[in-house]
Amino acid sequence: MSKTAINKQQLVSRLPDPEESDNIIYNPPTDELRAFSADLETETEFGSPSYVSIEKSRNAEKTKNRIDTEFDDADWTFINEALESANESELVCVDRQVGQHPDNSYVCRYYVPKWYSRIALSLTKLLEPADFSREPDFHTVQLPKWEETKIRILPEQGFTVVAGSDYFGEAKKSFLRLFMYYSKQQGGLGLHAGSKQVCLETDDGMETIGQLFLGLSGTGKSTLTAHGLWLDEPEKATMLQDDVCALLPDGTVAGSEGRGLFVKTHGLDEDTEPGIYTAATDESAILENVDVAADGTVYFDSDRYTTNGRAIIQREQLASAGEAIDLPEIDQIFFITRNPAMPAVAKLSPEESAVAFMLGESIQTSAGDPSAAGKSIRVVGTNPFIIGSKGEEGNRFRNLIAELDVECYVLNTGRVGSKDIKVEDTITLLRAIARRDIQWEVDTSTELAVPADVPGIDMSEFDVEANLDDHDQILNDLRQERKQYLAQFDDLDDDIEKALY
């Protein structure tokens, strides 16, 4: 395969044909996939399988895509060798589908050595069966037993090679990364976000509010997306998507994962996250890198293997999950941060919202870089999987929310100075924002619109100036850091940079 002459058909022709190759087990049922990996399994007390991978997180620094990086001879040699290895190995091949939207769904074909069928099993639990009348849009080959870890993506061909990693998250993101990239080609924008609908009683009848939550893994995105907001019937909050969505030009938010969710389990508690806990302790779940004793006892609080323990849970086991995965209309977007210099919540203009999108301020978690967990981090769109110009992503985001008249907020789920923000505080704020029960005023320290009054919560407890020592100096330094950070994005519109807070 030449780097100067490559198209999708030539690439796909190098892969073994699952319907004709003798070394392919094609779309086996889930019980067979589980049986193939029986030697790697510990059965939990709930009857579900648990596995421990060698790699415990994604390898972002070893991932390259051909849009943002020119592949050299070594990259092309690697891709060729991976294809040759795939043709010489006994493989499992499964076809699944990302998305349900008629204009934004994709058939995904995944290859992995039979010994690692547990990864294919997890994928079948996460994504829906494919429409077999369609040819695959995306192809991923995962070869865990490779001497060097490398992930190489050819976005225009919809092709990914994952080598030297047995972490399920690499398989999942190989397809969701391309889902986001292809959504952008259609005029929309792929987002690392959870989506939900909140149905509320008003004087004019029931009103439905569509919400998105953008945040890095481990910052509360799944918790807030799945939370019922303590509403009583007939009011309710329904989770649609947990991880990746696509905001389309007509205001629809297309979902990606139709069957399951891939959730963090470290510290999972039945009292604070009852819905996710119930689904994770059902026999239909799959645990990865969770401490499970030989007798099957599960210890979610343990970091024996990693703090990035995970579960693939089924939507049907999550009481807050809806049947649909697409959000018909978007009304509110929340950027989750854990920056202690930020208010508990602030309302943003379209340009300020694009600033928040570009800054993507949070803390590093074990899902990204375990060695840097707890440190401050900035990731555009809180999305480590962007392909292409990040400045253009910010411009696209601002244009879409302005045209669609979407309300945007930055939501602090950590602490203001030394004052912790509890889950119940955040839920009270979210419920009041959905009801539009908040009066807003300008905070003189951050110059952002913050709540003057919120039913059920004393907002003075979360005042930035009162809780942050040397707040003037800290905020001035923060603005300078932000200014320098935004300056690196040459494609970002000037009016967005000028809205820096």
Side-chain angles (χ1 to χ4, degrees):
M1 180 174 60
S2 167
K3 63 182 179 181
T4 59
I6 172 176
N7 62 51
K8 180 177 180 178
Q9 190 55 45
Q10 289 173 323
L11 196 62
V12 171
S13 68
R14 297 281 308 279
L15 290 167
D17 187 327
E19 295 186 277
E20 296 183 3
S21 177
D22 292 335
N23 69 332
I24 298 286
I25 304 171
Y26 185 42
N27 284 324
T30 54
D31 57 346
E32 287 188 21
L33 286 171
R34 182 173 177 180
F36 294 157
S37 290
D39 290 345
L40 304 175
E41 174 189 325
T42 298
E43 185 172 294
T44 73
E45 59 191 293
F46 316 112
S48 58
S50 175
Y51 306 101
V52 178
S53 60
I54 296 174
E55 294 292 321
K56 304 297 191 295
S57 63
R58 298 184 309 271
N59 283 277
E61 73 284 358
K62 297 176 182 178
T63 302
K64 292 165 59 175
N65 74 77
R66 198 176 176 230
I67 299 294
D68 296 312
T69 306
E70 183 65 34
F71 282 10
D72 57 22
D73 290 341
D75 293 315
W76 293 108
T77 298
F78 160 69
I79 292 172
N80 274 308
E81 290 176 348
L83 288 170
E84 291 172 4
S85 178
N87 279 278
E88 296 169 358
S89 304
E90 185 178 15
L91 302 174
V92 161
C93 176
V94 295
D95 290 341
R96 309 305 285 178
Q97 182 166 306
V98 169
Q100 295 178 348
H101 193 279
D103 300 322
N104 214 66
S105 64
Y106 305 90
V107 174
C108 308
R109 178 161 289 175
Y110 175 74
Y111 296 85
V112 72
K114 180 182 175 183
W115 177 254
Y116 295 95
S117 292
R118 63 172 178 80
I119 308 177
L121 173 63
S122 296
L123 196 67
T124 63
K125 289 276 192 172
L126 185 73
L127 303 178
E128 293 177 288
D131 177 352
F132 294 110
S133 68
R134 294 171 50 182
E135 290 296 313
D137 301 289
F138 306 148
H139 294 78
T140 293
V141 178
Q142 186 162 1
L143 304 170
K145 278 192 174 181
W146 204 266
E147 60 184 17
E148 182 181 359
T149 301
K150 288 184 179 182
I151 297 93
R152 295 294 181 267
I153 306 127
L154 299 171
E156 293 174 340
Q157 291 76 27
F159 182 77
T160 303
V161 175
V162 177
S165 174
D166 62 342
Y167 181 57
F168 168 66
E170 298 286 12
K172 164 190 161 83
K173 278 300 190 278
S174 73
F175 296 124
L176 298 188
R177 182 190 290 114
L178 293 174
F179 169 84
M180 289 190 281
Y181 174 72
Y182 278 57
S183 300
K184 184 164 58 175
Q185 309 314 302
Q186 298 179 359
L189 192 63
L191 298 172
H192 183 220
S195 62
K196 72 190 301 182
Q197 282 184 313
V198 183
C199 297
L200 301 171
E201 281 190 301
T202 72
D203 293 338
D204 298 322
M206 297 300 294
E207 179 184 14
T208 299
I209 306 295
Q211 297 180 332
L212 284 179
F213 293 85
L214 278 70
L216 290 174
S217 297
T219 57
K221 175 168 56 65
S222 297
T223 299
L224 298 180
T225 303
H227 203 286
L229 301 182
W230 297 313
L231 297 172
D232 296 322
E233 291 288 351
E235 296 186 327
K236 63 178 180 178
T238 304
M239 188 280 295
L240 302 181
Q241 280 291 272
D242 168 68
D243 192 31
V244 167
C245 305
L247 176 58
L248 304 182
D250 65 356
T252 302
V253 180
S256 59
E257 300 165 318
R259 188 175 183 186
L261 296 83
F262 188 48
V263 299
K264 283 180 68 70
T265 57
H266 187 253
L268 183 60
D269 182 79
E270 186 174 10
D271 293 329
T272 57
E273 298 179 85
I276 294 177
Y277 182 89
T278 297
T281 54
D282 187 80
E283 65 178 357
S284 62
I286 299 174
L287 303 188
E288 183 178 57
N289 299 323
V290 176
D291 187 357
V292 179
D295 65 358
T297 304
V298 176
Y299 300 98
F300 287 128
D301 288 333
S302 170
D303 60 358
R304 177 184 175 188
Y305 299 116
T306 176
T307 56
N308 191 35
R310 294 278 181 161
I312 297 94
I313 62 175
Q314 299 301 280
R315 291 175 59 88
E316 61 188 22
Q317 297 298 325
L318 189 61
S320 63
E323 293 184 8
I325 66 172
D326 294 341
L327 182 64
E329 187 175 1
I330 180 64
D331 299 288
Q332 299 173 341
I333 294 177
F334 298 89
F335 299 95
I336 302 174
T337 186
R338 290 195 173 174
N339 187 331
M342 292 299 291
V345 70
K347 190 174 184 178
L348 308 174
S349 70
E351 286 70 31
E352 288 173 336
S353 302
V355 170
F357 179 89
M358 294 301 299
L359 292 176
E361 289 182 337
S362 193
I363 59 169
Q364 182 63 273
T365 72
S366 53
D369 181 359
S371 65
K375 295 182 180 179
S376 297
I377 186 174
R378 291 189 175 102
V379 179
V380 174
T382 63
N383 181 5
F385 313 103
I386 291 173
I387 296 174
S389 166
K390 293 179 172 62
E392 289 181 1
E393 293 257 334
N395 300 336
R396 176 77 60 87
F397 179 81
R398 187 274 313 275
N399 294 341
L400 284 169
I401 63 168
E403 291 168 6
L404 297 169
D405 194 26
V406 179
E407 302 170 13
C408 292
Y409 305 84
V410 60
L411 184 70
N412 188 347
T413 60
R415 55 188 173 85
V416 179
S418 58
K419 174 65 176 179
D420 287 335
I421 304 170
K422 299 178 181 178
V423 172
E424 49 263 40
D425 299 321
T426 298
I427 297 305
T428 300
L429 288 170
L430 288 175
R431 192 171 56 245
I433 290 171
R435 294 190 190 281
R436 297 183 171 90
D437 280 347
I438 295 181
Q439 298 296 319
W440 300 89
E441 63 182 10
V442 176
D443 174 46
T444 56
S445 57
T446 63
E447 300 179 3
L448 292 171
V450 299
D453 182 59
V454 178
I457 188 170
D458 181 2
M459 291 307 300
S460 66
E461 294 184 2
F462 302 105
D463 182 74
V464 172
E465 183 174 342
N467 286 287
L468 192 65
D469 294 337
D470 300 324
H471 68 278
D472 282 337
Q473 185 64 49
I474 290 173
L475 289 171
N476 285 334
D477 291 346
L478 184 59
R479 290 188 184 101
Q480 289 302 311
E481 290 176 13
R482 289 169 170 169
K483 183 176 181 179
Q484 293 175 8
Y485 178 78
L486 291 184
Q488 69 182 293
F489 303 108
D490 296 335
D491 295 333
L492 187 66
D493 288 348
D494 291 341
D495 59 341
I496 294 175
E497 289 195 58
K498 291 177 182 176
L500 180 69
Y501 50 81

